[in-house]
Amino acid sequence: MPLTDAQRAEIEAHSQASAPTHRPTVPALEEKLFKPIPVLDHGFIRVIDYMGDDSAVVQAARVSYGRGTKKVSEDSGLIRYLMRHRHSTPFEMCEIKFHIKLPIFIARQWIRHRTANVNEYSARYSILDNEFYLPAPEHMAAQSASNRQGRGDTLDAETAQQVMELLRDDAARCYRTYEHLLDTDEGPGLARELARMNLTLNAYTQWYWKVDLHNLMHFLSLRIDPHAQYEIRAYAEAMLDILRAWVPVTAEAFQDYRVGAFTFSASMLAALRRMLAGEAVTQPDSGLSKREWEEFQAAIRA
Amino acid sequence: MPLTDAQRAEIEAHSQASAPTHRPTVPALEEKLFKPIPVLDHGFIRVIDYMGDDSAVVQAARVSYGRGTKKVSEDSGLIRYLMRHRHSTPFEMCEIKFHIKLPIFIARQWIRHRTANVNEYSARYSILDNEFYLPAPEHMAAQSASNRQGRGDTLDAETAQQVMELLRDDAARCYRTYEHLLDTDEGPGLARELARMNLTLNAYTQWYWKVDLHNLMHFLSLRIDPHAQYEIRAYAEAMLDILRAWVPVTAEAFQDYRVGAFTFSASMLAALRRMLAGEAVTQPDSGLSKREWEEFQAAIRA
Amino acid sequence: MPLTDAQRAEIEAHSQASAPTHRPTVPALEEKLFKPIPVLDHGFIRVIDYMGDDSAVVQAARVSYGRGTKKVSEDSGLIRYLMRHRHSTPFEMCEIKFHIKLPIFIARQWIRHRTANVNEYSARYSILDNEFYLPAPEHMAAQSASNRQGRGDTLDAETAQQVMELLRDDAARCYRTYEHLLDTDEGPGLARELARMNLTLNAYTQWYWKVDLHNLMHFLSLRIDPHAQYEIRAYAEAMLDILRAWVPVTAEAFQDYRVGAFTFSASMLAALRRMLAGEAVTQPDSGLSKREWEEFQAAIRA
Amino acid sequence: MPLTDAQRAEIEAHSQASAPTHRPTVPALEEKLFKPIPVLDHGFIRVIDYMGDDSAVVQAARVSYGRGTKKVSEDSGLIRYLMRHRHSTPFEMCEIKFHIKLPIFIARQWIRHRTANVNEYSARYSILDNEFYLPAPEHMAAQSASNRQGRGDTLDAETAQQVMELLRDDAARCYRTYEHLLDTDEGPGLARELARMNLTLNAYTQWYWKVDLHNLMHFLSLRIDPHAQYEIRAYAEAMLDILRAWVPVTAEAFQDYRVGAFTFSASMLAALRRMLAGEAVTQPDSGLSKREWEEFQAAIRA
């Protein structure tokens, strides 16, 4: 994440401004404002702005005239109740804005979450940096045999090294061509909107991404899942830390009722009840498929 | 807009808290925070929170590392460019949250704007106040003869008075029945979710309404239009004042390119070109319908 | 649900038209097309149009060139997999359009689901019918003592009768005033957009409501819940029947993984594991609140 | 657009099925169903399904019991009225579903339109084809000097040829590496979700894209604009032909009130009124910027 000196100076200048406000303020998040948190080899995520806090959720749920706060324990109880019963609208009343640098193939996954606002750096208008994602050896994995859309074993060190070199060579060569295509002196001076097509999908892009608290948690619940691709999970984990600093009560309820929760299907509930009644239930007589049985076992053993 | 003493105290307490923040802050809007602006006879609108300012629009458009600001004149030029070319995403990067008290029949119009977040006071959970909207005499109007969904002439003073009494009597009677239905001592103690059906559509409700700057302007462009119903326009006009305090540069561009603008259809453009070439064009030979011709004339004369 | 003769004739004429199409067609739903299914005392719901079927879900998930169908058992397995893992986008590829007549206070609950398309009958433009909802005696219930937003015991027959008369009298009187206000001969000829405010919230309105299959199931999962208000649940149940006719495989997976499912929080899972290990767990030592413990017990006993 | 024999057979089989339906049917669109329309060198767009027709717009606007149709001329008048006054909800009542093959860098532009449903071919799950976009010589253009995000002059034949070879070589090399990375015999058998990052942005992807008529027209109004990038405009133009076959009355109103229309800002209207009053107005005394003046002139001359 090598920022230029100019960028560091911009961030620094931005950080030093301070003004009084009557709005809800979260000191723990104020401290993190603007500072880039490194993710992957060249990426980052930083909080640019936020609106609301735990009390704002309470205030909206009560449509109150003041901060909505009664006692801390009552507020916490209400937030837990709202989370448990999937009352999503009070959580929509908080908002957060990020600046994120991420590889294009991850940006393509990310953008499928439509309930957010996005401003992406335009490669029609500007020139992308010479930065591309190369997985660290411990994240170089073979195709999973059991899961058509996942990773299996990590590659051995030598193979991982070879793969990294192949990825680096292609990305670097494509970038050199890109630069040449854009060159108005030595090259053809091709339009930026065309030249960009020669970049590889691990090139880095960046965007401003703004989302409300409800949709942020929805994003996180999908993307911190062990089945999510590692590269997007890395961003989700950084965001989960931010969530804890911003809205600690909500974050704890989120952990209990969403991240650490498990939904049992009607068939799983039937099997579970038989087990609790002392019956020995096996996969074949459970009515569950093999894969569901495994998920079921994982949930009740853990 | 008679707030109770408890409500005034809540607002007062909320207003006095102040804390330093690194976030963009707008002093002109800070002054308005939390204070109810009266609308109609018992309604109000007040700003609860906001995110961003004019510079945040610029910052997002440039995906910048700092405030995005170069020179004031450049920022203003960029905002005008974005508005003119309907680049909506940078305006989505600012957000505002209102607390609004409004008659139910207006709430039903308002809620058709789906791109906002809403938390409404629940009449399943709580009891609505004994307040209902009664139009002032100058807003009591007959059905328009020419416009199936609009108002025509104002009623004479005596008729207006009679109408007001009819509205007041029915609303008051319905509210008394509502109270009786809920009464667990003297009445049947009916469930709140049922009793509420006896209220009239001019009863007041209230909600928290949060929206981004782009969608706020879209709402305003539809609702400050002279064809919008007066009662919703009254809220829109109060919001337009808030817009000017919050994002003055954007508000001015909005005025020039949206509120004060007019879209000429292909047929209107053809007629216009003939006129500019010195030709005398009449409605019958313009290819425009009578109604379009009137709109066209209004736009070019004004 | 008394339709006029003219309305019946319109529906009849619409039903008789038939044309060949290459699009996916569902004979079981074609039979139901256009025919109003009565709900509550004067309401109805009828299917106006639909797009796609179970195979269209499969086809979209596979981004296939043909119908996407391999073997019926494979398709069913894929649909169950998508439902279990909350892959919502393939279900968004089917769409259904309803015409619904419903009381205004229910319409206000319904409209909170923003991810649908709505065209409501306009009371600015037209005059509403003289029809209002009166609950049947078996649905007249007292406020619940334990649940602030629910119903408790059913009222006794005599009290229910009294309540019904109160509701009927107020609604009827308000409607008579409404008619008088609109009257251009004997009355003031008030603008429709104003006169409507005198109606009670149990007056019936109607709308076209179009939604994709994913969002329809989300609506149903919230509104067929026993905690939903009876009056909206009545519509949801009629829609569940339609769902079964339209996309039977999806409807079955929906029943198993959503309607009949239960989500255990992290704390509930911890308690469950202790129980499966043979431990006797009680509410106080479970870490669950009383209310959560009851929900937990209900799920594992059933 | 070289489909495999298997794909052609799938499409053929799909096309031959036919069934009677009571739903609105558009013979002119039925003829086009499923058939790929070539766009760019390897892309295509084909209609998979549709819901509604011009009459369905009318029917929804009237919330009618039958087809909503009165006389053809009245329907047309209503559709034109709705379009002129930007009443968007009746147009949301029609829906269309496409299968589209397009270069990834165009897919990234396209996906910014969030109000649509998308299922994309998954490169985590499957292997992408060896196909990439190479612009035809007549679309190879230099960066525009005046417009930071547009194309200027077309490259001369020889330079265009050189650019094409550079693009082809890099894309082909990257694809060979991709294949090698995936190879479980000769190569490392890298996970698909990682290997895909080595592809260039001109590789083709494909998706199902479903959108309502209102949002389709919004997409088209932005993407058939001369300022849109040629490669996405090529798809938009193919879709405009489809629009004309599907909803001819709506398409004509769209042409008149949107595509062929021009919005005059408040300042432009002021200048226009002076001109119509016989005054000679010049850019410096018009209050318009140079760029606005040019746009203004283009609109009134044409």
Side-chain angles (χ1 to χ4, degrees):
Chain A
M1 192 197 59
L3 298 178
T4 65
D5 287 347
Q7 287 163 350
R8 290 189 185 286
E10 275 192 273
I11 291 172
E12 189 57 27
H14 198 179
S15 291
Q16 282 176 356
S18 179
T21 186
H22 295 299
R23 294 171 292 166
T25 303
V26 181
L29 193 57
E30 289 283 336
E31 272 182 35
K32 292 178 184 286
L33 272 181
F34 313 134
K35 295 174 191 152
I37 300 161
V39 186
L40 303 182
D41 51 356
H42 299 293
F44 64 73
I45 185 160
R46 60 192 198 104
V47 181
I48 293 302
D49 205 346
Y50 68 93
M51 171 193 271
D53 57 7
D54 277 325
S55 292
V57 175
V58 169
Q59 186 188 20
R62 294 198 179 121
V63 190
S64 73
Y65 282 78
R67 287 299 312 271
T69 309
K70 298 192 177 179
K71 278 185 282 178
V72 170
S73 64
E74 282 183 38
D75 281 9
S76 164
L78 177 55
I79 286 175
R80 295 177 70 80
Y81 172 87
L82 296 170
M83 185 77 72
R84 197 161 80 244
H85 290 276
R86 301 208 163 233
H87 289 225
S88 53
T89 57
F91 297 107
E92 293 175 6
M93 288 287 153
C94 296
E95 192 91 13
I96 194 162
K97 183 160 60 178
F98 298 103
H99 178 190
I100 303 164
K101 187 164 188 175
L102 73 177
I104 291 177
F105 72 106
I106 296 304
R108 283 181 21 83
Q109 245 182 36
W110 194 303
I111 201 80
R112 290 178 196 169
H113 298 265
R114 287 158 296 179
T115 43
N117 308 115
V118 187
N119 274 273
E120 187 171 355
Y121 188 82
S122 169
R124 287 183 79 190
Y125 192 86
S126 308
I127 298 172
L128 287 181
D129 291 337
N130 184 9
E131 283 177 335
F132 32 85
Y133 170 61
L134 297 175
E138 65 269 29
H139 296 122
M140 288 281 197
Q143 176 63 35
S144 165
S146 61
N147 177 358
R148 271 189 69 86
Q149 55 180 334
R151 299 185 193 181
D153 298 333
T154 305
L155 300 187
D156 64 77
E158 193 188 345
T159 311
Q161 182 62 27
Q162 288 165 358
V163 168
M164 202 182 72
E165 279 163 25
L166 288 169
L167 292 172
R168 179 163 53 202
D169 286 358
D170 278 357
R173 183 190 328 266
C174 284
Y175 193 85
R176 282 197 305 273
T177 304
Y178 171 66
E179 280 186 309
H180 170 73
L181 291 171
L182 293 172
D183 194 330
T184 49
D185 294 330
E186 312 281 314
L190 191 67
R192 283 184 287 271
E193 67 178 26
L194 286 172
R196 61 173 165 169
M197 81 173 75
N198 201 61
L199 293 170
T200 46
L201 280 157
N202 54 355
Y204 273 89
T205 184
Q206 48 181 289
W207 60 33
Y208 271 48
W209 193 69
K210 174 170 149 287
V211 70
D212 67 52
L213 176 54
H214 165 67
N215 281 293
L216 175 63
M217 291 190 291
H218 184 66
F219 178 91
L220 291 180
S221 70
L222 293 171
R223 300 303 182 180
I224 53 174
D225 188 278
H227 291 95
Q229 179 157 359
Y230 160 74
E231 282 75 19
I232 199 165
R233 215 166 60 224
Y235 288 88
E237 277 162 12
M239 292 160 94
L240 190 55
D241 283 342
I242 291 165
L243 186 80
R244 289 192 191 108
W246 178 27
V247 282
V249 178
T250 299
E252 201 184 312
F254 176 61
Q255 185 63 41
D256 197 11
Y257 296 114
R258 304 287 292 278
V259 178
F262 185 82
T263 298
F264 288 70
S265 67
S267 313
M268 285 180 185
L269 286 174
L272 181 64
R273 287 175 202 132
R274 287 166 57 198
M275 289 168 72
L276 285 167
E279 203 177 325
V281 182
T282 61
Q283 185 259 318
D285 75 357
S286 69
L288 299 172
S289 72
K290 262 194 180 164
R291 199 155 168 180
E292 288 179 87
W293 179 257
E294 279 163 25
E295 289 170 14
F296 175 59
Q297 288 296 314
I300 62 178
R301 307 293 172 210
Chain B
M1 193 196 58
L3 297 179
T4 65
D5 286 348
Q7 287 162 350
R8 290 190 184 287
E10 274 192 273
I11 291 172
E12 190 57 29
H14 197 178
S15 291
Q16 282 176 356
S18 179
T21 184
H22 295 298
R23 294 172 292 165
T25 303
V26 181
L29 193 56
E30 290 282 336
E31 272 181 34
K32 292 178 184 286
L33 271 181
F34 314 135
K35 295 173 191 152
I37 300 161
V39 186
L40 304 182
D41 52 356
H42 299 293
F44 64 74
I45 184 160
R46 58 192 199 104
V47 180
I48 293 301
D49 205 347
Y50 68 93
M51 171 193 271
D53 57 6
D54 276 325
S55 292
V57 175
V58 169
Q59 185 188 21
R62 293 198 179 119
V63 191
S64 74
Y65 282 78
R67 286 300 311 270
T69 309
K70 298 192 176 176
K71 277 185 285 178
V72 170
S73 65
E74 282 184 38
D75 281 9
S76 165
L78 177 54
I79 286 175
R80 294 177 69 81
Y81 173 87
L82 296 170
M83 185 77 73
R84 196 160 81 245
H85 291 275
R86 301 208 163 231
H87 289 225
S88 53
T89 56
F91 297 106
E92 294 174 6
M93 288 287 153
C94 296
E95 193 92 13
I96 194 163
K97 183 160 59 179
F98 299 102
H99 178 191
I100 303 164
K101 188 164 187 175
L102 73 178
I104 291 176
F105 73 105
I106 295 304
R108 282 179 23 82
Q109 243 181 38
W110 195 303
I111 200 79
R112 290 179 196 169
H113 297 265
R114 288 158 296 179
T115 43
N117 307 114
V118 186
N119 274 273
E120 187 171 354
Y121 188 81
S122 170
R124 286 183 80 190
Y125 191 86
S126 308
I127 298 172
L128 287 182
D129 292 337
N130 184 9
E131 284 177 335
F132 30 86
Y133 170 61
L134 298 174
E138 65 269 29
H139 296 121
M140 288 282 196
Q143 176 63 35
S144 165
S146 62
N147 178 356
R148 271 190 68 86
Q149 54 180 336
R151 300 185 193 181
D153 297 334
T154 304
L155 301 186
D156 64 76
E158 194 189 343
T159 311
Q161 182 63 28
Q162 287 165 358
V163 168
M164 202 182 71
E165 280 163 24
L166 287 170
L167 292 172
R168 180 164 51 203
D169 286 356
D170 277 357
R173 183 190 327 267
C174 284
Y175 193 85
R176 281 198 305 273
T177 304
Y178 172 65
E179 279 185 311
H180 171 73
L181 291 171
L182 292 173
D183 194 329
T184 48
D185 295 330
E186 311 281 314
L190 191 67
R192 284 184 286 272
E193 67 177 25
L194 287 172
R196 61 173 166 169
M197 81 172 77
N198 201 62
L199 294 170
T200 46
L201 280 157
N202 54 354
Y204 272 89
T205 184
Q206 48 182 289
W207 61 31
Y208 272 48
W209 193 69
K210 174 171 149 286
V211 69
D212 66 53
L213 176 54
H214 165 66
N215 281 294
L216 174 63
M217 292 190 291
H218 184 66
F219 177 92
L220 291 180
S221 70
L222 293 171
R223 299 304 181 181
I224 53 175
D225 188 278
H227 291 95
Q229 179 157 359
Y230 161 74
E231 283 75 18
I232 200 165
R233 215 164 62 223
Y235 288 88
E237 277 162 12
M239 291 159 94
L240 190 55
D241 282 342
I242 292 165
L243 186 81
R244 289 192 191 108
W246 178 28
V247 283
V249 178
T250 299
E252 202 184 311
F254 176 62
Q255 185 64 40
D256 196 11
Y257 296 115
R258 304 286 293 278
V259 177
F262 184 81
T263 298
F264 288 70
S265 67
S267 312
M268 286 179 184
L269 286 174
L272 181 64
R273 285 176 202 131
R274 288 165 57 198
M275 290 167 72
L276 286 167
E279 203 177 326
V281 182
T282 61
Q283 185 259 318
D285 75 355
S286 69
L288 299 172
S289 72
K290 262 194 179 164
R291 198 154 169 180
E292 287 178 88
W293 179 256
E294 280 163 25
E295 289 170 15
F296 175 60
Q297 289 296 315
I300 62 178
R301 306 293 171 210
Chain C
M1 192 197 59
L3 299 179
T4 64
D5 286 349
Q7 287 163 350
R8 291 189 184 287
E10 274 192 274
I11 292 172
E12 188 59 27
H14 197 178
S15 292
Q16 282 177 356
S18 178
T21 185
H22 295 299
R23 293 173 292 166
T25 303
V26 181
L29 193 57
E30 290 282 336
E31 272 181 35
K32 292 178 185 288
L33 272 181
F34 313 133
K35 294 171 192 154
I37 299 161
V39 186
L40 305 182
D41 52 356
H42 299 294
F44 64 73
I45 184 161
R46 60 194 198 102
V47 181
I48 294 300
D49 205 345
Y50 67 93
M51 173 195 268
D53 57 7
D54 277 323
S55 292
V57 175
V58 169
Q59 185 188 19
R62 294 198 179 119
V63 191
S64 74
Y65 283 79
R67 287 300 310 269
T69 310
K70 296 192 174 176
K71 275 187 284 176
V72 171
S73 65
E74 283 184 38
D75 281 9
S76 164
L78 177 55
I79 285 174
R80 295 177 68 82
Y81 172 87
L82 296 170
M83 185 77 72
R84 198 161 77 244
H85 291 275
R86 300 207 164 233
H87 289 226
S88 54
T89 55
F91 296 108
E92 293 175 7
M93 288 287 153
C94 296
E95 192 92 14
I96 193 162
K97 183 160 58 179
F98 298 103
H99 178 191
I100 303 165
K101 187 164 188 176
L102 74 177
I104 289 175
F105 72 106
I106 294 305
R108 282 180 21 82
Q109 243 183 38
W110 195 303
I111 201 81
R112 291 179 196 169
H113 297 267
R114 289 158 295 179
T115 43
N117 308 114
V118 187
N119 275 273
E120 186 172 355
Y121 188 81
S122 169
R124 286 184 80 190
Y125 191 86
S126 307
I127 298 173
L128 286 182
D129 291 337
N130 184 8
E131 282 177 337
F132 31 86
Y133 170 61
L134 297 174
E138 64 270 28
H139 296 121
M140 288 283 198
Q143 176 62 35
S144 166
S146 60
N147 177 357
R148 271 189 68 85
Q149 56 179 334
R151 300 186 193 179
D153 297 333
T154 305
L155 302 185
D156 65 76
E158 195 188 343
T159 310
Q161 181 64 27
Q162 287 164 357
V163 169
M164 202 180 74
E165 279 163 25
L166 288 169
L167 293 172
R168 180 163 52 202
D169 285 357
D170 277 357
R173 182 188 331 263
C174 285
Y175 193 86
R176 281 197 306 272
T177 304
Y178 171 66
E179 279 185 310
H180 171 73
L181 291 171
L182 293 173
D183 194 330
T184 49
D185 295 329
E186 312 280 316
L190 191 67
R192 283 185 287 272
E193 68 178 24
L194 287 172
R196 61 173 166 169
M197 81 172 75
N198 201 62
L199 293 171
T200 46
L201 280 157
N202 55 354
Y204 273 89
T205 184
Q206 49 183 289
W207 61 31
Y208 271 49
W209 193 68
K210 174 170 149 286
V211 69
D212 68 51
L213 176 53
H214 166 66
N215 282 293
L216 175 62
M217 291 190 293
H218 185 65
F219 177 92
L220 291 180
S221 70
L222 293 171
R223 298 305 181 180
I224 54 175
D225 187 277
H227 291 96
Q229 179 159 359
Y230 160 74
E231 282 76 17
I232 200 166
R233 214 165 62 224
Y235 288 88
E237 276 162 12
M239 291 159 95
L240 190 55
D241 283 342
I242 292 165
L243 187 80
R244 289 192 191 108
W246 178 27
V247 283
V249 177
T250 299
E252 202 184 311
F254 175 62
Q255 185 64 41
D256 197 12
Y257 295 115
R258 305 287 293 277
V259 179
F262 185 81
T263 298
F264 288 71
S265 68
S267 313
M268 285 181 185
L269 286 174
L272 181 65
R273 286 176 202 130
R274 287 165 58 199
M275 289 168 73
L276 285 168
E279 204 178 323
V281 182
T282 61
Q283 186 259 317
D285 75 357
S286 70
L288 299 172
S289 72
K290 261 196 181 164
R291 197 151 170 184
E292 288 180 86
W293 179 257
E294 278 164 26
E295 288 170 15
F296 176 60
Q297 289 297 314
I300 62 178
R301 307 291 173 212
Chain D
M1 193 197 59
L3 299 178
T4 64
D5 287 349
Q7 286 163 349
R8 291 190 183 287
E10 275 191 273
I11 292 171
E12 188 59 28
H14 198 178
S15 292
Q16 282 177 356
S18 179
T21 185
H22 295 299
R23 293 173 292 167
T25 302
V26 181
L29 193 58
E30 289 282 336
E31 271 181 35
K32 292 178 183 289
L33 272 181
F34 313 133
K35 294 171 192 156
I37 299 161
V39 186
L40 304 183
D41 52 355
H42 299 294
F44 63 74
I45 185 161
R46 59 194 198 102
V47 181
I48 294 300
D49 205 346
Y50 68 94
M51 172 194 270
D53 56 7
D54 276 324
S55 292
V57 174
V58 169
Q59 185 188 21
R62 295 198 178 119
V63 191
S64 74
Y65 283 79
R67 286 301 309 271
T69 309
K70 298 192 175 178
K71 276 185 284 175
V72 170
S73 64
E74 283 184 38
D75 281 8
S76 164
L78 177 55
I79 285 175
R80 294 177 70 81
Y81 173 86
L82 297 169
M83 185 77 72
R84 197 161 80 245
H85 292 275
R86 299 209 165 232
H87 289 226
S88 53
T89 55
F91 296 108
E92 293 174 6
M93 287 287 152
C94 296
E95 192 92 14
I96 193 162
K97 183 160 58 178
F98 298 103
H99 178 190
I100 302 164
K101 187 164 188 175
L102 73 178
I104 289 176
F105 72 106
I106 295 305
R108 282 179 23 82
Q109 245 182 36
W110 195 302
I111 201 80
R112 290 179 197 170
H113 298 267
R114 289 158 295 180
T115 43
N117 308 114
V118 186
N119 273 274
E120 186 171 356
Y121 188 81
S122 169
R124 286 184 80 191
Y125 191 86
S126 307
I127 298 172
L128 287 182
D129 292 338
N130 184 8
E131 282 177 337
F132 32 85
Y133 170 61
L134 298 175
E138 64 270 28
H139 297 122
M140 288 282 197
Q143 177 62 36
S144 166
S146 61
N147 177 356
R148 271 190 68 86
Q149 55 180 336
R151 299 185 194 181
D153 297 334
T154 305
L155 301 186
D156 65 76
E158 195 188 341
T159 310
Q161 181 64 27
Q162 287 165 358
V163 169
M164 200 180 75
E165 278 163 25
L166 287 170
L167 293 172
R168 180 163 53 203
D169 285 356
D170 277 357
R173 182 188 332 263
C174 285
Y175 193 86
R176 281 197 307 273
T177 305
Y178 172 65
E179 279 185 310
H180 170 73
L181 291 171
L182 292 172
D183 194 330
T184 48
D185 295 329
E186 312 280 316
L190 191 67
R192 283 183 288 271
E193 68 178 24
L194 287 173
R196 60 174 167 168
M197 80 174 75
N198 201 62
L199 294 170
T200 46
L201 280 157
N202 54 354
Y204 273 89
T205 184
Q206 49 183 289
W207 61 31
Y208 272 49
W209 193 69
K210 174 171 149 287
V211 70
D212 67 52
L213 176 53
H214 165 66
N215 281 294
L216 175 62
M217 290 190 293
H218 184 66
F219 177 92
L220 291 180
S221 70
L222 293 172
R223 300 304 181 180
I224 54 175
D225 187 277
H227 291 97
Q229 179 157 0
Y230 161 73
E231 282 75 17
I232 200 165
R233 214 165 62 224
Y235 288 88
E237 277 162 11
M239 291 160 94
L240 190 54
D241 283 342
I242 292 165
L243 186 80
R244 290 191 191 108
W246 179 27
V247 283
V249 178
T250 299
E252 203 184 311
F254 175 63
Q255 185 64 42
D256 197 12
Y257 296 114
R258 305 286 294 276
V259 178
F262 184 81
T263 298
F264 288 70
S265 68
S267 314
M268 286 180 185
L269 286 174
L272 181 64
R273 287 174 201 133
R274 288 165 58 199
M275 290 168 72
L276 285 167
E279 204 177 323
V281 182
T282 62
Q283 186 258 316
D285 75 358
S286 69
L288 299 172
S289 72
K290 262 195 180 163
R291 199 154 168 180
E292 288 179 87
W293 179 257
E294 279 163 25
E295 289 170 14
F296 175 60
Q297 289 296 313
I300 61 177
R301 308 291 173 212

